Amino acid sequence: METWKFAIASIRSHKMRSFLTMLGIIIGVAAVVLIMAFGDGMNKAFTRSLASSQQNVQINYSPLKSKDGSGIVTSQEVFEAESDLASGGQPPAPVVSENQVADLLNIQGVTKYLVSNSANATVTFESKNVTGASITGVSDSYFKAQNYQIIAGRSFVAADYEQFARVVVLDKTLANKLFNNPEDALNQLIKIQGNNYRIMGVFDYDKNDSTAQYQYPNGQLLMANTQLAAEFSVPEIQTIIVSVDDVDRSLEIGAAAARRLTQLVRPAQGEYQVMDFSDQLANIQQTLGVMQLVIGSIAGISLLVGGIGVMNIMLVSVTERTREIGLRKALGATRRNILTQFLVESVVLTLIGGFIGLMISYGVVFLIGDSLNAAFGGPPVISMQSVIGSTLFSISIGVIFGLLPANKASKLNPIEALRYE
């Protein structure tokens, strides 16, 4: 305990010098921890996105059949198929009815479905314009399948579909861009491609879905898929998604649904398929791992420089305190006592530096975490492994770079040390 008190007293007696010595450790630990946090955040965002895609499986039409006839394709196979079709032109997708999609509920494991179509357009209210707003045409099953929350007004009703009513529901982002708040948007008329549409409701995304709200940076607008098809000359059904009750069997259930839809629609060529994202996720994780390793290694250089600074200042400290060391030895201090004292001083320096660096990391994440969440699709995450690792690494730096000065101090001859000027 006395050794630790001596170490802290020595550091406090040279505050500025101690802080400058710790600066390399502070910067190095903060940089490494932040890089790991950014990487972990992005990795978890991609993994969460994949888990969501496993829960809600999208079924796509392709003019080319899967290699084994299972209805499952990888991203590489999709890329190759698109390359093959680029020269000859892609035939139009077959027309699908909602009754055919609803039949997929008879497949064991399929719990619900949704169908939609889409377009992009400029949305105008008085003098305000939002360019590139995403318009999604939805059927009455859409809100049952999506975890969207109506925060003002109402959703669509049967009469909206039957009468081809020009009514829409906005997301919170688009409502805030055009109006002061969601409530002010209700019953207002907006203009899309020269036609007026009345706003019947405003919705927000599921708070647990961190990717949906960033998928539509200019906002999303919902209208009846039949109305969108009539106004924008697109098919009533462009996107088909089925929800499964077991994510571990999502590919199996999704492929069964795709094969069933192929049997019902009977396309002239090709089939309906689901995509296996596992190879894509593996590539993303590998790329993120390499990036973390490279950037982390560069940041680690500052830790090395910081360690050299610690060793340098401890050598200076040994020289300055030569008479003190001689006196302690003359009073009975052993070589081990002196060695331990200077090692502890070195460890305390790096440990304090590591702690400050860790606190800076937490501060950065707290201040700009939301912005990074928007940029990368996932907030930075400082894991317990990073905290423990940075602490142990700081101690290791103190021991490794403090060993030489401590060893030099412990070997001083007490008589020569007492004569040192």
Side-chain angles (χ1 to χ4, degrees):
M1 196 63 181
E2 288 297 322
T3 304
W4 288 90
K5 289 181 180 179
F6 277 130
I8 294 171
S10 176
I11 293 170
R12 292 179 64 182
S13 63
H14 301 90
K15 294 184 180 67
M16 181 56 69
R17 188 173 74 180
S18 298
F19 174 75
L20 293 175
T21 303
M22 291 186 290
L23 200 56
I25 303 296
I26 293 171
I27 295 172
V29 168
V32 171
V33 171
L34 283 173
I35 289 165
M36 296 299 295
F38 296 158
D40 288 345
M42 286 188 285
N43 192 15
K44 287 185 178 180
F46 285 123
T47 303
R48 186 165 54 247
S49 177
L50 178 66
S52 175
S53 66
Q54 288 178 322
Q55 184 75 51
N56 299 307
V57 184
Q58 183 166 332
I59 300 175
N60 304 299
Y61 167 74
S62 172
L64 301 179
K65 293 188 176 182
S66 52
K67 293 179 179 178
D68 56 1
S70 64
I72 301 175
V73 291
T74 65
S75 56
Q76 180 62 31
E77 289 173 340
V78 171
F79 176 77
E80 292 172 357
E82 289 176 349
S83 300
D84 293 340
L85 292 167
S87 56
Q90 185 169 340
V95 177
V96 182
S97 70
E98 187 164 352
N99 287 335
Q100 290 172 322
V101 180
D103 186 85
L104 302 181
L105 293 174
N106 295 320
I107 296 175
Q108 185 177 5
V110 175
T111 57
K112 51 190 175 182
Y113 74 91
L114 66 86
V115 294
S116 65
N117 49 11
S118 61
N120 290 307
T122 298
V123 180
T124 303
F125 174 73
E126 296 180 349
S127 61
K128 296 181 180 179
N129 295 307
V130 176
T131 304
S134 299
I135 304 177
T136 303
V138 302
S139 69
D140 59 358
S141 65
Y142 193 84
F143 277 90
K144 297 175 184 176
Q146 293 281 42
N147 293 322
Y148 291 171
Q149 307 296 322
I150 297 294
I151 59 176
R154 66 168 176 83
S155 179
F156 299 105
V157 296
D160 297 330
Y161 294 94
E162 294 168 0
Q163 300 171 10
F164 285 84
R166 284 190 172 133
V167 294
V168 295
V169 178
L170 310 184
D171 71 353
K172 187 178 179 181
T173 300
L174 190 55
N176 288 334
K177 286 178 180 288
L178 295 173
F179 307 94
N180 293 326
N181 56 66
E183 286 74 17
D184 290 346
L186 295 180
N187 292 317
Q188 298 287 356
L189 290 176
I190 58 174
K191 193 175 289 292
I192 305 172
Q193 287 194 337
N195 295 318
N196 289 324
Y197 291 82
R198 188 171 299 279
I199 301 170
M200 303 308 298
V202 178
F203 72 94
D204 199 4
Y205 302 99
D206 182 6
K207 296 186 182 300
N208 295 323
D209 187 353
S210 62
T211 58
Q213 53 191 320
Y214 304 116
Q215 188 176 353
Y216 307 103
N218 295 322
Q220 186 187 20
L221 178 150
L222 306 181
M223 69 170 62
N225 64 327
T226 51
Q227 184 69 31
L228 183 65
E231 299 282 1
F232 289 83
S233 300
V234 296
E236 287 188 9
I237 297 177
Q238 291 178 312
T239 302
I240 302 168
I241 294 176
V242 295
S243 296
V244 301
D245 59 0
D246 184 359
V247 294
D248 293 330
R249 298 178 57 237
S250 60
L251 275 180
E252 176 190 339
I253 298 170
R259 292 193 298 270
R260 176 58 180 162
L261 192 59
T262 300
Q263 293 173 359
L264 293 171
V265 177
R266 299 181 181 275
Q269 68 178 94
E271 66 180 5
Y272 286 91
Q273 304 169 342
V274 294
M275 185 179 291
D276 182 1
F277 289 99
S278 57
D279 60 335
Q280 200 171 8
L281 179 65
N283 291 334
I284 291 171
Q285 288 177 327
Q286 184 178 7
T287 302
L288 285 175
V290 171
M291 287 175 58
Q292 279 184 284
L293 180 61
V294 172
I295 301 174
S297 298
I298 295 172
I301 293 174
S302 63
L303 279 174
L304 178 63
V305 173
I308 294 172
V310 169
M311 182 170 61
N312 180 58
I313 206 66
M314 292 306 297
L315 287 171
V316 171
S317 180
V318 169
T319 303
E320 288 179 345
R321 295 160 63 187
T322 300
R323 288 176 64 84
E324 175 195 328
I325 294 167
L327 182 60
R328 290 197 64 194
K329 280 198 166 186
L331 292 174
T334 63
R335 180 186 172 191
R336 181 177 180 179
N337 295 142
I338 303 299
L339 182 71
T340 302
Q341 178 185 345
F342 281 88
L343 268 181
V344 168
E345 284 188 27
S346 176
V347 168
V348 168
L349 269 175
T350 55
L351 198 55
I352 294 174
F355 178 77
I356 295 174
L358 196 58
M359 291 302 100
I360 290 174
S361 303
Y362 274 105
V364 170
V365 169
F366 177 78
L367 291 174
I368 64 173
D370 290 339
S371 300
L372 293 171
N373 192 1
F376 299 123
V381 179
I382 298 180
S383 63
M384 185 56 65
Q385 289 89 336
S386 297
V387 174
I388 296 173
S390 61
T391 303
L392 294 177
F393 197 75
S394 299
I395 294 173
S396 301
I397 289 287
V399 172
I400 293 170
F401 288 93
L403 194 58
L404 178 62
N407 189 53
K408 178 182 177 182
S410 68
K411 288 182 177 179
L412 286 176
N413 185 290
I415 297 175
E416 292 180 359
L418 286 170
R419 289 177 180 173
Y420 182 80
E421 295 293 336

